[in-house]
Amino acid sequence: MKKLIPFLLIMLSGLSFGQNIEPVRKTVQKINQTKDFKITTIPYSYFMDNNQVTDNGIELKGFYKNGELKKIEHFVGLSAWNIVTEYFFSKNNQLIFVHSIKYQTIDENGYLKKPQKLSELRCYYENNKLIKSVGTFNNDEKTDYLKESQNLKNDLKNYNKL
């Protein structure tokens, strides 16, 4: 059994790190280099009307190129920290990458002039399955980014209908 445990650990790490994330990285880089997006911004008032209230606001931006959603930026401002999450989508509108950063905005002396990064997480997806995550997120609950991305897409669609 003692010999089996290291073997299993090697196998498990191979599964999580053996996936080729290079195509995802290239697609994300291409999206980030794109100019002239059509940007839809959903203000905090939309979320308040839907009973989603935070201390320091919520903002959602959808980045479209040729009518296709390429990227979502989601900002959530809470009492002592902000969470900024970016979602990237493939040509077939599937989630391929999530980058989430949590910033501390208040310390024992009050508001910070420059928020401090608390944690950062990168998640890579293929065919609607998580293939690799890098970093940790200082959060009590695990976010289902696939489900969250669908909810945010729905918010963008509903807002555009208003």
mmCIF file with all atom_site columns, all heavy atoms in Angstrom, residues 25 40 42 48-49 88 91 156:
data_model
loop_
_atom_site.group_PDB
_atom_site.id
_atom_site.type_symbol
_atom_site.label_atom_id
_atom_site.label_alt_id
_atom_site.label_comp_id
_atom_site.label_asym_id
_atom_site.label_entity_id
_atom_site.label_seq_id
_atom_site.pdbx_PDB_ins_code
_atom_site.Cartn_x
_atom_site.Cartn_y
_atom_site.Cartn_z
_atom_site.occupancy
_atom_site.B_iso_or_equiv
_atom_site.pdbx_formal_charge
_atom_site.auth_seq_id
_atom_site.auth_comp_id
_atom_site.auth_asym_id
_atom_site.auth_atom_id
_atom_site.pdbx_PDB_model_num
ATOM 1  N N   . ARG A 1 25  ? -4.586  29.026 -23.894 1.00 0.00 ? 25  ARG A N   1
ATOM 2  C CA  . ARG A 1 25  ? -3.760  30.215 -23.668 1.00 0.00 ? 25  ARG A CA  1
ATOM 3  C C   . ARG A 1 25  ? -3.689  31.084 -24.921 1.00 0.00 ? 25  ARG A C   1
ATOM 4  O O   . ARG A 1 25  ? -3.775  32.305 -24.852 1.00 0.00 ? 25  ARG A O   1
ATOM 5  C CB  . ARG A 1 25  ? -2.363  29.814 -23.224 1.00 0.00 ? 25  ARG A CB  1
ATOM 6  C CG  . ARG A 1 25  ? -2.352  29.164 -21.857 1.00 0.00 ? 25  ARG A CG  1
ATOM 7  C CD  . ARG A 1 25  ? -0.985  28.693 -21.543 1.00 0.00 ? 25  ARG A CD  1
ATOM 8  N NE  . ARG A 1 25  ? -0.340  29.775 -20.803 1.00 0.00 ? 25  ARG A NE  1
ATOM 9  C CZ  . ARG A 1 25  ? 0.726   29.615 -20.064 1.00 0.00 ? 25  ARG A CZ  1
ATOM 10 N NH1 . ARG A 1 25  ? 1.290   28.436 -19.977 1.00 0.00 ? 25  ARG A NH1 1
ATOM 11 N NH2 . ARG A 1 25  ? 1.228   30.622 -19.414 1.00 0.00 ? 25  ARG A NH2 1
ATOM 12 N N   . THR A 1 40  ? -21.052 45.725 -23.810 1.00 0.00 ? 40  THR A N   1
ATOM 13 C CA  . THR A 1 40  ? -22.308 45.958 -23.102 1.00 0.00 ? 40  THR A CA  1
ATOM 14 C C   . THR A 1 40  ? -21.998 45.972 -21.616 1.00 0.00 ? 40  THR A C   1
ATOM 15 O O   . THR A 1 40  ? -21.422 45.016 -21.099 1.00 0.00 ? 40  THR A O   1
ATOM 16 C CB  . THR A 1 40  ? -23.334 44.834 -23.402 1.00 0.00 ? 40  THR A CB  1
ATOM 17 O OG1 . THR A 1 40  ? -23.621 44.840 -24.803 1.00 0.00 ? 40  THR A OG1 1
ATOM 18 C CG2 . THR A 1 40  ? -24.607 45.022 -22.610 1.00 0.00 ? 40  THR A CG2 1
ATOM 19 N N   . ILE A 1 42  ? -23.589 46.251 -17.838 1.00 0.00 ? 42  ILE A N   1
ATOM 20 C CA  . ILE A 1 42  ? -24.794 46.177 -17.015 1.00 0.00 ? 42  ILE A CA  1
ATOM 21 C C   . ILE A 1 42  ? -24.485 46.854 -15.689 1.00 0.00 ? 42  ILE A C   1
ATOM 22 O O   . ILE A 1 42  ? -23.596 46.423 -14.961 1.00 0.00 ? 42  ILE A O   1
ATOM 23 C CB  . ILE A 1 42  ? -25.235 44.717 -16.783 1.00 0.00 ? 42  ILE A CB  1
ATOM 24 C CG1 . ILE A 1 42  ? -25.527 44.030 -18.122 1.00 0.00 ? 42  ILE A CG1 1
ATOM 25 C CG2 . ILE A 1 42  ? -26.465 44.672 -15.876 1.00 0.00 ? 42  ILE A CG2 1
ATOM 26 C CD1 . ILE A 1 42  ? -25.930 42.582 -17.991 1.00 0.00 ? 42  ILE A CD1 1
ATOM 27 N N   . MET A 1 48  ? -29.580 45.260 -8.521  1.00 0.00 ? 48  MET A N   1
ATOM 28 C CA  . MET A 1 48  ? -30.428 45.630 -7.375  1.00 0.00 ? 48  MET A CA  1
ATOM 29 C C   . MET A 1 48  ? -31.885 45.288 -7.674  1.00 0.00 ? 48  MET A C   1
ATOM 30 O O   . MET A 1 48  ? -32.590 44.787 -6.808  1.00 0.00 ? 48  MET A O   1
ATOM 31 C CB  . MET A 1 48  ? -30.273 47.117 -7.054  1.00 0.00 ? 48  MET A CB  1
ATOM 32 C CG  . MET A 1 48  ? -28.940 47.430 -6.428  1.00 0.00 ? 48  MET A CG  1
ATOM 33 S SD  . MET A 1 48  ? -28.602 49.154 -5.965  1.00 0.00 ? 48  MET A SD  1
ATOM 34 C CE  . MET A 1 48  ? -30.009 50.085 -6.356  1.00 0.00 ? 48  MET A CE  1
ATOM 35 N N   . ASP A 1 49  ? -32.319 45.553 -8.908  1.00 0.00 ? 49  ASP A N   1
ATOM 36 C CA  . ASP A 1 49  ? -33.695 45.219 -9.305  1.00 0.00 ? 49  ASP A CA  1
ATOM 37 C C   . ASP A 1 49  ? -33.948 43.723 -9.253  1.00 0.00 ? 49  ASP A C   1
ATOM 38 O O   . ASP A 1 49  ? -35.090 43.279 -9.137  1.00 0.00 ? 49  ASP A O   1
ATOM 39 C CB  . ASP A 1 49  ? -33.992 45.738 -10.719 1.00 0.00 ? 49  ASP A CB  1
ATOM 40 C CG  . ASP A 1 49  ? -34.064 47.255 -10.771 1.00 0.00 ? 49  ASP A CG  1
ATOM 41 O OD1 . ASP A 1 49  ? -34.169 47.895 -9.697  1.00 0.00 ? 49  ASP A OD1 1
ATOM 42 O OD2 . ASP A 1 49  ? -34.001 47.801 -11.892 1.00 0.00 ? 49  ASP A OD2 1
ATOM 43 N N   . PHE A 1 88  ? -13.678 33.691 -20.460 1.00 0.00 ? 88  PHE A N   1
ATOM 44 C CA  . PHE A 1 88  ? -13.329 33.714 -21.871 1.00 0.00 ? 88  PHE A CA  1
ATOM 45 C C   . PHE A 1 88  ? -14.035 32.563 -22.574 1.00 0.00 ? 88  PHE A C   1
ATOM 46 O O   . PHE A 1 88  ? -14.128 31.456 -22.033 1.00 0.00 ? 88  PHE A O   1
ATOM 47 C CB  . PHE A 1 88  ? -11.815 33.579 -22.053 1.00 0.00 ? 88  PHE A CB  1
ATOM 48 C CG  . PHE A 1 88  ? -11.048 34.769 -21.530 1.00 0.00 ? 88  PHE A CG  1
ATOM 49 C CD1 . PHE A 1 88  ? -10.754 34.873 -20.182 1.00 0.00 ? 88  PHE A CD1 1
ATOM 50 C CD2 . PHE A 1 88  ? -10.634 35.768 -22.387 1.00 0.00 ? 88  PHE A CD2 1
ATOM 51 C CE1 . PHE A 1 88  ? -10.049 35.966 -19.689 1.00 0.00 ? 88  PHE A CE1 1
ATOM 52 C CE2 . PHE A 1 88  ? -9.925  36.860 -21.909 1.00 0.00 ? 88  PHE A CE2 1
ATOM 53 C CZ  . PHE A 1 88  ? -9.638  36.964 -20.553 1.00 0.00 ? 88  PHE A CZ  1
ATOM 54 N N   . LYS A 1 91  ? -14.824 29.918 -29.972 1.00 0.00 ? 91  LYS A N   1
ATOM 55 C CA  . LYS A 1 91  ? -15.644 30.261 -31.138 1.00 0.00 ? 91  LYS A CA  1
ATOM 56 C C   . LYS A 1 91  ? -17.031 29.621 -31.064 1.00 0.00 ? 91  LYS A C   1
ATOM 57 O O   . LYS A 1 91  ? -17.991 30.173 -31.573 1.00 0.00 ? 91  LYS A O   1
ATOM 58 C CB  . LYS A 1 91  ? -14.949 29.832 -32.430 1.00 0.00 ? 91  LYS A CB  1
ATOM 59 C CG  . LYS A 1 91  ? -13.777 30.695 -32.782 1.00 0.00 ? 91  LYS A CG  1
ATOM 60 C CD  . LYS A 1 91  ? -13.160 30.270 -34.090 1.00 0.00 ? 91  LYS A CD  1
ATOM 61 C CE  . LYS A 1 91  ? -11.962 31.137 -34.389 1.00 0.00 ? 91  LYS A CE  1
ATOM 62 N NZ  . LYS A 1 91  ? -11.295 30.763 -35.621 1.00 0.00 ? 91  LYS A NZ  1
ATOM 63 N N   . LEU A 1 156 ? -26.722 39.171 -19.456 1.00 0.00 ? 156 LEU A N   1
ATOM 64 C CA  . LEU A 1 156 ? -26.423 40.009 -20.632 1.00 0.00 ? 156 LEU A CA  1
ATOM 65 C C   . LEU A 1 156 ? -27.572 39.964 -21.640 1.00 0.00 ? 156 LEU A C   1
ATOM 66 O O   . LEU A 1 156 ? -27.960 40.996 -22.179 1.00 0.00 ? 156 LEU A O   1
ATOM 67 C CB  . LEU A 1 156 ? -25.116 39.556 -21.292 1.00 0.00 ? 156 LEU A CB  1
ATOM 68 C CG  . LEU A 1 156 ? -23.829 39.931 -20.539 1.00 0.00 ? 156 LEU A CG  1
ATOM 69 C CD1 . LEU A 1 156 ? -22.638 39.129 -21.054 1.00 0.00 ? 156 LEU A CD1 1
ATOM 70 C CD2 . LEU A 1 156 ? -23.561 41.418 -20.648 1.00 0.00 ? 156 LEU A CD2 1
#
